[in-house]
Amino acid sequence: MRLILAFVLSVIGSTAFAQDARPIECRFLAFGVKDDAAAIAVGGKGEEIACPLPTSTLSKKITCTAKDGKIPFISAADRKPMATAGIPSGVNSALVVFVRLDKAAADAPPSAGWRVFVIEDSAKSFPDGGAYVANFYTSDIRFVIGEHKGMLKAAGAHGYAMPKERDDFNMAPVIFEFLNGDKWRIANESSLRFLPGMRYLIFAYVDPVSGRPKINTYQDLEPTKPAATP
């Protein structure tokens, strides 16, 4: 689980944050848990905004306020600090993914063990008609998405454009392999439909129940936005 924390910190720490308060259009997703959760975004003046954390699809857009490049969240259940999202300078629309880091004890508070992973919601990182891949696995992964062939180290992430090589039904092959020791093992082999206005968020991770590498795929139907100008 330290990998995910290092991943989040590397994404956040590598980007300069704006030193002001600005509205951010956010959509939310909870990853690593079975049941939906909820958070409350705390604004710069103490205002509170309810933010659902669905597990199967991205939420609708909710406008939050980032002060000095950060949005703090508290748990809707126990009102304790939950996580803080770092919003890079120039970003005004983001996908905010709440990642459950540790297997919480039965009596752990709802606010325990969360971190956030922020993705700019634009064609720059999340291409229209394409896919965004994030590697939460402990080693390398490699994959085929249409004509795209990629490889990501642990904690890596990358966006890929809509495949040009699609069949008559706009389907393209999607194959993921995980490096296990010195051998590559297929964890997912399927086809996905790629169309303008439809995007995929794909996570590679280790299933905490089975202990096996797994792929989670989320479909997004929101129209993409132009990349923010620095």
Side-chain angles (χ1 to χ4, degrees):
M1 299 321 243
R2 293 180 179 178
L3 166 66
I4 300 178
L5 175 58
F7 181 49
V8 174
L9 291 178
S10 68
V11 172
I12 295 175
S14 62
T15 311
F17 299 118
Q19 301 300 311
D20 62 351
R22 66 187 195 278
I24 308 294
E25 285 189 343
C26 298
R27 289 190 293 144
F28 298 92
L29 176 71
F31 176 68
V33 290
K34 293 183 179 180
D35 301 322
D36 292 358
I40 296 174
V42 181
K45 297 181 179 180
E47 66 274 18
E48 298 182 351
I49 300 172
C51 303
L53 303 178
T55 58
S56 59
T57 186
L58 289 161
S59 74
K60 294 182 179 180
K61 290 181 180 179
I62 296 174
T63 301
C64 301
T65 301
K67 184 177 181 180
D68 296 335
K70 298 178 181 179
I71 304 175
F73 294 91
I74 61 175
S75 169
D78 59 20
R79 301 190 63 81
K80 293 183 178 179
M82 195 171 180
T84 299
I87 309 297
S89 176
V91 172
N92 54 27
S93 185
L95 308 179
V96 183
V97 183
F98 276 69
V99 182
R100 193 69 160 176
L101 286 183
D102 304 306
K103 188 175 181 180
D107 58 349
S111 54
W114 292 95
R115 294 295 183 273
V116 288
F117 174 44
V118 177
I119 305 169
E120 180 180 353
D121 193 2
S122 74
K124 178 181 178 181
S125 59
F126 201 14
D128 183 29
Y132 185 91
V133 182
N135 183 14
F136 291 100
Y137 181 53
T138 55
S139 188
D140 298 356
I141 63 171
R142 66 184 184 185
F143 45 89
V144 172
I145 302 176
E147 71 272 14
H148 304 300
K149 295 181 179 179
M151 179 181 291
L152 289 174
K153 298 289 185 181
H158 197 274
Y160 294 87
M162 181 171 63
K164 295 180 180 178
E165 298 178 5
R166 307 188 305 276
D167 64 18
D168 293 340
F169 300 96
N170 289 305
M171 305 290 286
V174 176
I175 303 171
F176 275 81
E177 294 181 312
F178 291 74
L179 184 62
N180 187 354
D182 59 353
K183 295 183 179 180
W184 289 97
R185 302 185 183 278
I186 294 178
N188 177 274
E189 188 170 6
S190 62
S191 294
L192 292 175
R193 177 173 284 105
F194 292 89
L195 293 168
M198 175 188 293
R199 305 178 293 173
Y200 294 98
L201 178 60
I202 304 175
F203 288 159
Y205 71 108
V206 176
D207 187 293
V209 178
S210 66
R212 296 181 179 181
K214 191 175 179 181
I215 295 293
N216 266 22
T217 302
Y218 303 91
Q219 187 182 81
D220 178 39
L221 299 177
E222 285 284 339
T224 191
K225 290 187 174 183
T229 302

